[in-house]
Amino acid sequence: MVTFPLSFYGIPIMLAAAFIIPLVSLKKEKMVPYIGVSACLASFFLAALTFIDVLEFGILTHQMEGWPAPFGITIAVDNLSMFLVFMINFIGFAALAFSTKFIKERRTKYYSLLCLVLVGLLGIAHTGDIFNMFVFFEIMSISSYALTSYYRNRDSIEAAMKYIIMGSIATSIILFGIAFIYSAAGSLNMADLALRIPAAAGPVLPLGLGLLLAGFLFKAAIFPFHAWKPDVASVIPVPFATLLATAGSAIGIYAMLRIAFTVFSLTGFWLHISLIVMGVFSMVFGAVLALQQYNILRLLAYSSISQMGFVVMSLGIGSVNALGYTAGIFHLFNIMVFDALLFLCAGIIVYHAGTADMRKLGGFGSFNPILFYSFVIAMLSSVGIPLFNGFSSKILIYIATLQTYPVLTVISLLVSVLTLGYMLKVYDLVFLGGKKISPGRIHRSMWIPMAVLAAVCLFFGVLPNLGMAISDAIASNLSNAMYIMGVLG
Amino acid sequence: MNWFRAYVIGVLGILLFVSVLYLPGFGSFQNKDVANYYLQNAWKETGSANIINSIVWDYRGYDTLGEETVLFAAAMGVFLIIRKKEYHKYGLNNKNRK
Amino acid sequence: MFVYITVMLLALVGIYALLLKENLIKKIIGLAIFSNSIHLFLISLGYRKGGIAAIMQKANVGYFSLAAVDPLPQAMVLTSIVINLSVTAVALSLAIHTYRKFGTLDSKKIRGLNG
C-alpha cells in the first residue's frame, strides 16, 4: 500500500487556480473562466488515472510530510473515496464549463469561490482524519455561504442569512461530537479510532456519534435538516446549484458512511432504525412538497431531497440485508448523474427565458432537440422507467426492501408515482403550453456536458450489470479491515 | 416565543447535562497515548520548544493550510457581499479610473 | 466537574440566543458564545492536575513529559477559532447587506421567500 494517490494533486491544483484567478483578473479578465476550467480538467484527468490504481491496489495511502500514522495526517483513498472523487471532478467540470456562458459579471469572485468549493469537496473525500474533514467541510461551507448571496437581491440575502445561521449550528455540533470522541478515545485518525473505539466504554461515544451524524446529515439535506436546500437552490446561479445539490449532498452522505461504518463499524439497531425513518420522511416530504412548487429550481431541490431519502433508507436497510448497501451506492451514483442533468436543463431554460417561475414559461418543446431529449431522459431516469439508469438502482432498492420490510416497498412505489407527478408538471408547464418559442442554438459549452450526462444515463440503463459490479466492489469495502490495514500497515 | 425551538433547546440541554456525568474527571489524564508521544518526541523530531507550535506547523500543517484557505474564502466572500461600486472602475487597465 | 457544567451552561446560553432572539446581531453574538463554549470544552479536556504549560524551558526539561498538559486540543482550538472568525465575518457582512436591502434587522420581518 505504498502507491501515492495521484488524484491528491487535484487539491493543490484547484487551490492554485483559486489564488491565481484574482491575480490574473487584474490584467486580462477574459482568461478567468479558462483557468478554472483547465484546472478542473487536469484534476479530472488525475482522478481517472488514480481510478485504475485503486481498482488494482484496494487502498492508496500517503502520510502528509512523512509523519507516521496516528501522529500526522493520513490521506487514504479507497473504493468509496475514489468513486466520490471521480464524481466530484466530473460534475465540477460540467458546472464550470456551463458557467462560462452563464455568468457574465463579477466573474472573478464567482470562479475563485467555485474553485474553493471544489477544493473543500475534494479534501473531504481524500482525508483520513476527522479534524481534517471538519476543516475542509468549513472551506466548502464558507464558500457556499459567500456564493449564496451572489445576486445580492432580497431573496438571496434572506436565503444566505438562514443558511449561514443553520450551517454554523451544524458545524459547531460536529465540533462537539469530535470533542466527545477525543475525550473517550484519545486520537483523531480514523483508522486509529477504529482500533480504539471497541475498547473504550461509556455512553459518551454514542452521544458523540449522534452529534456527528446530525451535523453531517444537515449538509446532506435529509429530513429534519432539509430546510436550507430549497431556499438556497432558488437564489443561486444554476451551475453552482448543480454542484451543491448533487455533490454537496453526496459528500454529506459519504461523511456519514465514513464515520458510521469505517470508524464506528456499527450495524446496531438504533442506527438502522433512525436511518430508515429519516430516509422515509425525506422521500415523502420531498415528493409531496415538490408537487406544490411553481419555481423550477425549488422543485428540483425538493426532488433531490426526495431522491437522497431513497439512498439513506436503502443504506439503513443495508445492516440487515447486504443488498441495501449496493442499491444505496448505485442509486447515489445515478442521482448525481440525472440530477445534474435536470439542473443543467433548468439552467438553459432560466438563461433563455430570464425567469424561473414556471407559470410564466411555456413552449420550450420546440426550442432545441438536445434540451428536449436531455430533459426527457433525465425525467424518465428519476421516475425509474426501465432502460434508464434510475430503474437499475430502484429495482435493487425495491428488492432489498421487499426482503426485509415490505411496507417500505409500498412507500417507495408511491413516492415514485409522486415523482412522476411532479416531473410531468414540469414537462407540461415548461415544454408544452400555448406559446411557441422559436428554435435557438445552445452554445457548445452548455450542450456538451448535457449530452455526456445523458449518454451516461442511457449507458447505465442499458447495461446495469457494470454499475452493479462497481457498486458491489464499493459496498464490500464498508467493513473497515482493509482500511485499517492499509493505513496503519 | 417559538415553542418548537424551546423544546429543541430543552432536549439538547438535558442531553448535554447528562453526558457531563460520564466524562472522564477534570484533571485525570486518561487515553493520552498520542499526546504523550507529542510531549516526549516533539523536541527531538522538530526542534521546537513550543509543542503546540510543532503540532500546528509540523505534525498537522495540512490543517493550517486548510485554515488559511478558509480565511481567503471569507475575505472573498466579504468582498463579494459588501462591494457597492462596480469592479471595473478600479481595474489596472481601465482608463476611466475614478 | 464544575468546569464541564459551566461549559454546558455557556453552550445553552449560546443556543438560546441563537434560536430564540429576533435581532440578527444578537443571533450572531449567540453563535460566537456557542462556539467559544465548545473551544473551552476542548481545552479543558486536556488538563492535568498540577500541570504546566506545554512549552519546554531549561528549568523543566526533566519532568516535562510527566507534568505538561495535553497540547493536541489546543492546536484544534487554534484552527477552530480562525474558522469561527471567518464565519462571523461573513455573517456580519450579510447583516450589513440585509440592513441595506430590508431596512430592518428583525428576523421576523425578513420573510420574502415562500413555500
Side-chain angles (χ1 to χ4, degrees), chain A residues 407-435:
Chain A
V407 67
L408 293 177
T409 316
V410 174
I411 298 180
S412 311
L413 284 168
L414 285 175
V415 171
S416 291
V417 170
L418 286 176
T419 309
L420 181 65
Y422 62 73
M423 281 299 169
L424 279 180
K425 172 176 177 173
V426 175
Y427 180 73
D428 181 42
L429 284 177
V430 174
F431 285 89
L432 307 175
K435 53 183 170 171

Side-chain angles (χ1 to χ4, degrees), chain A residues 58-121:
Chain A
I59 181 171
L60 306 171
T61 60
H62 174 64
Q63 306 293 132
M64 287 299 290
E65 300 298 316
W67 301 111
F71 315 115
I73 296 179
T74 314
I75 309 291
V77 177
D78 64 347
N79 287 345
L80 183 62
S81 309
M82 196 58 230
F83 156 64
L84 265 157
V85 164
F86 191 74
M87 287 312 292
I88 290 170
N89 277 319
F90 184 45
I91 296 183
F93 180 65
L96 273 170
F98 196 84
S99 43
T100 49
K101 269 296 176 184
F102 196 87
I103 305 285
K104 292 197 178 60
E105 50 173 18
R106 285 184 296 160
R107 287 192 295 192
T108 318
K109 303 183 193 95
Y110 174 82
Y111 278 99
S112 186
L113 284 168
L114 196 57
C115 287
L116 283 172
V117 171
L118 279 171
V119 165
L121 288 169

Side-chain angles (χ1 to χ4, degrees), chain A residues 243-298:
Chain A
L243 190 62
L244 193 65
T246 53
S249 296
I251 210 74
I253 294 186
Y254 163 80
M256 180 200 79
L257 281 177
R258 268 283 172 249
I259 297 292
F261 294 108
T262 307
V263 174
F264 274 82
S265 61
L266 271 188
T267 48
F269 175 72
W270 283 110
L271 181 72
H272 158 228
I273 289 290
S274 53
L275 281 180
I276 291 181
V277 165
M278 282 196 282
V280 166
F281 272 104
S282 302
M283 275 160 43
V284 173
F285 267 77
V288 166
L289 285 171
L291 279 172
Q292 305 171 8
Q293 302 299 324
Y294 278 106
N295 186 336
I296 187 172
L297 291 171
R298 278 181 83 94

Side-chain angles (χ1 to χ4, degrees), chain A residues 127-451:
Chain A
T127 184
D129 182 282
I130 345 177
F131 189 65
N132 202 17
M133 192 190 264
F134 166 74
V135 171
F136 278 97
F137 253 111
E138 280 315 283
I139 298 182
M140 180 191 98
S141 302
I142 289 186
S143 312
S144 332
Y145 302 153
L147 264 183
T148 311
S149 58
Y150 173 78
Y151 284 128
R152 295 203 290 188
N153 48 15
R154 289 172 70 114
D155 290 339
S156 300
I157 297 297
E158 176 200 340
M161 204 69 218
K162 283 191 200 161
Y163 184 27
I164 201 173
I165 299 280
M166 287 197 255
S168 8
I169 301 180
T171 299
S172 304
I173 287 183
I174 293 179
L175 193 58
F176 230 133
I178 293 180
F180 277 127
I181 289 181
Y182 181 73
S183 84
S187 164
L188 288 177
N189 197 354
M190 284 191 205
D192 202 36
L193 277 178
L195 286 178
R196 284 173 202 253
I197 277 180
V204 175
L205 274 179
L207 178 62
L209 171 69
L211 289 172
L212 271 179
L213 287 188
F216 290 137
L217 286 176
F218 172 85
K219 306 287 183 188
I222 304 293
F223 182 88
F225 315 111
H226 65 286
W228 59 272
K229 199 167 188 180
D231 285 339
V232 168
S234 58
V235 295
I236 52 182
V238 182
F240 178 55
T242 314
L243 190 62
L244 193 65
T246 53
S249 296
I251 210 74
I253 294 186
Y254 163 80
M256 180 200 79
L257 281 177
R258 268 283 172 249
I259 297 292
F261 294 108
T262 307
V263 174
F264 274 82
S265 61
L266 271 188
T267 48
F269 175 72
W270 283 110
L271 181 72
H272 158 228
I273 289 290
S274 53
L275 281 180
I276 291 181
V277 165
M278 282 196 282
V280 166
F281 272 104
S282 302
M283 275 160 43
V284 173
F285 267 77
V288 166
L289 285 171
L291 279 172
Q292 305 171 8
Q293 302 299 324
Y294 278 106
N295 186 336
I296 187 172
L297 291 171
R298 278 181 83 94
L299 191 144
L300 287 177
Y302 276 117
S303 151
S304 80
I305 294 177
S306 171
Q307 301 290 339
M308 287 295 171
F310 271 102
V311 172
V312 170
M313 176 187 81
S314 170
L315 288 170
I317 288 179
S319 50
V320 179
N321 178 3
L323 187 59
Y325 290 139
T326 308
I329 292 179
F330 193 22
H331 199 56
L332 187 63
F333 168 73
N334 289 335
I335 286 174
M336 287 205 264
V337 174
F338 65 66
D339 246 354
L341 188 55
L342 280 173
F343 271 98
L344 289 182
C345 293
I348 292 190
I349 294 171
V350 168
Y351 179 67
H352 282 276
T355 172
D357 192 348
M358 288 195 290
R359 290 172 285 200
K360 301 193 181 92
L361 299 171
F364 266 91
S366 55
F367 181 67
N368 194 315
I370 298 181
L371 171 67
F372 181 73
Y373 287 123
S374 307
F375 185 79
V376 167
I377 288 176
M379 174 174 89
L380 294 177
S381 290
S382 74
V383 171
I385 305 289
L387 279 193
F388 298 99
N389 62 352
F391 174 72
S392 321
S393 51
K394 273 196 175 169
I395 188 73
L396 286 178
I397 296 182
Y398 297 149
I399 294 176
T401 53
L402 202 57
Q403 288 171 354
T404 49
Y405 299 117
V407 67
L408 293 177
T409 316
V410 174
I411 298 180
S412 311
L413 284 168
L414 285 175
V415 171
S416 291
V417 170
L418 286 176
T419 309
L420 181 65
Y422 62 73
M423 281 299 169
L424 279 180
K425 172 176 177 173
V426 175
Y427 180 73
D428 181 42
L429 284 177
V430 174
F431 285 89
L432 307 175
K435 53 183 170 171
K436 290 263 178 208
I437 299 196
S438 55
R441 300 181 59 92
I442 309 182
H443 192 258
R444 64 171 176 267
S445 69
M446 287 182 171
W447 67 257
I448 292 185
M450 287 168 57

Side-chain angles (χ1 to χ4, degrees), chain B residues 3-4 6 10 14 21 25 28-29 31 34 36 46 57 60 67 81 83 95 97:
Chain B
W3 289 108
F4 173 67
I14 294 179
L21 299 170
S28 75
F29 206 65
N31 297 322
V34 175
N36 281 331
T46 59
W57 280 107
R60 291 190 156 256
E67 164 196 337
I81 297 172
R83 202 61 187 269
K95 304 286 189 305
R97 214 162 56 206

Side-chain angles (χ1 to χ4, degrees), chain B residues 23-84:
Chain B
L23 288 170
F26 180 65
S28 75
F29 206 65
Q30 295 176 355
N31 297 322
K32 297 291 180 190
D33 307 327
V34 175
N36 281 331
Y37 178 87
Y38 284 139
L39 289 175
Q40 284 158 7
N41 299 31
W43 169 245
K44 286 194 287 277
E45 290 184 357
T46 59
S48 158
N50 192 344
I51 311 289
I52 306 170
N53 185 31
S54 76
I55 294 181
V56 164
W57 280 107
D58 251 323
Y59 290 104
R60 291 190 156 256
Y62 190 41
D63 281 344
T64 309
L65 173 71
E67 164 196 337
E68 303 306 321
T69 311
V70 167
L71 269 179
F72 179 68
M76 293 297 276
V78 171
F79 198 36
L80 176 72
I81 297 172
I82 294 276
R83 202 61 187 269
K84 261 188 180 177

